[in-house]
Amino acid sequence: TENMEVTLLDTPGHVDFSAEMERTLQVLDYAILVINGMDGVQSHTMTLWRLLERYQIPTFLFVNKMDLPGTDREEILRELKQDLSSRICDLSGETEEEIALCDENLLERYLENGALAEQDIVAAVQAGKLFPVWFGSALKLQGVSEFMDALQRFAPQCISAPEFAARVYKIS
């Protein structure tokens, strides 16, 4: 993850801060949705997911706290696909064939070439046709470097407009 420049806008996950979080979504190039592996998909997670879809923000998921007893990777992945999107794919564990099934264009490329090129996956993520997910433990730094490496590969840096622009959403 050398030479990667990231600006993080951390928003509260609590429903009481939904308005602030929704205003933040309007300025994002990509979103990282962090889900607690012990709790799984909560109602507010589904609300946030619908907002990410509405604003068409390419989204990466990181399921945290997977080091704790009682977490089940396969069960959480099934829940994510059922409750959020069938296009959620564990890029660290699923085969290219499973990833290709998330989108017609990916499937077409896979059938033509027998493999997926990285730029095909990038295009699918940017188009909202594929939502990569990783599992780990931020506290123990498990899966974090793999996630950051993948973020660098599949979320190319956006080029800013040459002229200054700003969106003011709160003045106090």
Side-chain angles (χ1 to χ4, degrees), residues 1-170:
T1 55
E2 291 181 26
N3 301 322
M4 185 167 117
E5 186 175 315
V6 176
T7 302
L8 295 175
L9 303 175
D10 184 19
T11 62
H14 195 274
V15 70
D16 290 346
F17 298 98
S18 293
E20 288 84 353
M21 183 267 309
E22 187 170 358
R23 284 192 294 262
T24 303
L25 293 180
Q26 299 173 37
V27 299
L28 299 180
D29 296 320
Y30 299 95
I32 299 171
L33 182 59
V34 179
I35 296 174
N36 182 328
M38 293 294 296
D39 298 336
V41 176
Q42 301 292 299
S43 62
H44 188 63
T45 309
M46 291 188 283
T47 300
L48 179 55
W49 187 261
R50 286 190 292 274
L51 289 170
L52 290 165
E53 283 183 319
R54 180 187 308 157
Y55 289 104
Q56 300 177 341
I57 299 168
T59 303
F60 295 82
L61 295 92
F62 185 82
V63 181
N64 195 24
K65 300 185 181 182
M66 292 303 294
D67 58 319
L68 298 177
T71 55
D72 182 343
R73 182 182 183 129
E74 293 305 315
E75 175 61 24
I76 293 171
L77 184 59
R78 186 198 60 72
E79 182 182 0
L80 291 171
K81 288 183 177 203
Q82 176 186 306
D83 294 346
L84 300 181
S85 174
S86 61
R87 297 171 296 179
I88 292 175
C89 288
D90 178 1
L91 293 194
S92 67
E94 296 188 16
T95 66
E96 281 191 339
E97 185 176 336
E98 290 172 302
I99 294 167
L101 292 174
C102 289
D103 174 56
E104 275 185 44
N105 291 334
L106 283 178
L107 183 58
E108 189 176 301
R109 297 263 193 211
Y110 179 75
L111 293 174
E112 283 175 9
N113 305 320
L116 291 173
E118 192 167 299
Q119 65 264 23
D120 295 332
I121 295 173
V122 169
V125 169
Q126 288 179 323
K129 303 290 184 185
L130 174 67
F131 302 102
V133 62
W134 284 264
F135 296 83
S137 169
L139 183 64
K140 295 187 177 177
L141 296 178
Q142 296 170 346
V144 174
S145 63
E146 293 85 354
F147 176 75
M148 294 304 293
D149 290 343
L151 194 62
Q152 186 173 25
R153 287 177 54 210
F154 301 120
Q157 186 173 357
C158 296
I159 307 300
S160 300
E163 63 277 346
F164 176 77
R167 180 185 301 258
V168 177
Y169 63 88
K170 185 174 184 179

